[in-house]
Amino acid sequence: DVKVTQSSRYLVKRTGEKVFLECVQDMDHENMFWYRQDPGLGLRLIYFSYDVKMKEKGDIPEGYSVSREKKERFSLILESASTNQTSMYLCASSFLTGLAAYEQYFGPGTRLTVT
Amino acid sequence: AQTVTQSQPEMSVQEAETVTLSCTYDTSESDYYLFWYKQPPSRQMILVIRQEAYKQQNATENRFSVNFQKAAKSFSLKISDSQLGDAAMYFCVVNDMRFGAGTRLTVKP
């Protein structure tokens, strides 16, 4: 079974703190994704990566950065957390293909609260 | 840009009945992929069904089937013989990364 794990299920941070969210997958997937999920908005893509050290901005990258030093690990960084970044964060991974799009496998999510 | 619209924020169905969740999308691509994902309460998101746009035949997975109308850019999900375990948020997705806002499905016993 594919497993995608996230470092925390719940996290509470203060405004201005630097926050690290970690994601690890064990299926040797090339693609990894970070989304945030908000009620009524669905999932919005923050960043994705198709290879080690490669990253692409998604729809809402402002206030976030990412790091992918190893194939299995993709980190989301909030440089200076703000209250509007309170949300559910979901990590996902999938195989890299040419024109095709394959199933994404999701982690359990991290519910981040910034106070 | 691609947009995905799920016009039903909430739906309800009686156990053993059939329900259809709607999805429309906009894309300028001629070939693309469509997905329905399910997110049960407090559980991980999983794939329900996948459709390749160049295939005219509608995808089917057991009790789940789609009605794909390429010209109308419509991709609805039909759940037959609904079960209590089908209660979840359902997301329509275009090409891996473009999600709709979701439809919350309640199944009544």
Side-chain angles (χ1 to χ4, degrees):
Chain A
D1 273 356
V2 176
K3 191 174 244 183
V4 180
T5 57
Q6 295 183 229
S7 49
S8 305
R9 288 301 301 270
Y10 300 94
L11 208 52
V12 180
K13 294 292 182 180
R14 294 193 180 276
T15 301
E17 279 192 86
K18 191 168 187 176
V19 181
F20 292 86
L21 303 183
E22 301 282 333
C23 176
V24 178
Q25 51 94 3
D26 66 358
M27 274 299 290
D28 204 32
H29 285 164
E30 293 86 1
N31 290 338
M32 295 190 74
F33 308 83
W34 275 107
Y35 297 91
R36 64 177 281 176
Q37 181 177 8
D38 300 289
L41 297 178
L43 275 69
R44 292 178 292 167
L45 182 66
I46 304 172
Y47 271 97
F48 72 98
S49 169
Y50 54 88
D51 200 355
V52 174
K53 297 191 186 296
M54 305 303 289
K55 60 184 179 183
E56 295 284 343
K57 292 181 180 179
D59 296 321
I60 51 165
E62 296 78 18
Y64 304 94
S65 62
V66 291
S67 173
R68 193 162 180 205
E69 297 296 320
K70 293 185 178 182
K71 189 175 185 179
E72 68 271 18
R73 189 178 298 268
F74 192 35
S75 302
L76 180 69
I77 303 153
L78 287 65
E79 295 289 342
S80 177
S82 64
T83 55
N84 63 13
Q85 292 179 310
T86 291
S87 187
M88 171 70 86
Y89 290 87
L90 293 177
C91 175
S93 69
S94 72
F95 286 114
L96 178 68
T97 61
L99 296 175
Y102 279 89
E103 173 183 2
Q104 289 185 66
Y105 294 85
F106 284 84
T110 295
R111 186 165 294 283
L112 173 67
T113 302
V114 183
T115 62
Chain B
Q2 297 170 337
T3 58
V4 182
T5 302
Q6 293 180 247
S7 58
Q8 307 149 317
E10 296 184 353
M11 291 283 284
S12 179
V13 64
Q14 206 72 33
E15 196 175 6
E17 298 292 309
T18 295
V19 65
T20 298
L21 308 184
S22 301
C23 174
T24 58
Y25 59 91
D26 188 22
T27 181
S28 57
E29 298 181 25
S30 58
D31 198 13
Y32 48 91
Y33 293 77
L34 300 153
F35 305 82
W36 279 98
Y37 282 87
K38 168 185 177 181
Q39 186 181 39
S42 301
R43 292 178 61 187
Q44 287 171 242
M45 187 100 67
I46 57 173
L47 179 70
V48 175
I49 201 163
R50 174 177 181 259
Q51 173 81 41
E52 296 161 40
Y54 67 88
K55 288 188 176 178
Q56 294 194 350
Q57 186 173 5
N58 288 325
T60 299
E61 288 288 341
N62 301 315
R63 298 182 295 107
F64 299 87
S65 61
V66 299
N67 183 3
F68 174 48
Q69 303 288 331
K70 191 172 183 179
K73 294 182 179 175
S74 170
F75 183 60
S76 60
L77 175 69
K78 185 171 86 170
I79 306 174
S80 304
D81 186 25
S82 297
Q83 300 176 359
L84 294 177
D86 294 334
M89 282 290 288
Y90 286 82
F91 293 96
C92 178
V93 185
V94 176
N95 266 356
D96 250 3
M97 295 181 283
R98 189 69 56 179
F99 282 70
T103 296
R104 183 175 301 282
L105 178 66
T106 302
V107 181
K108 297 180 179 178

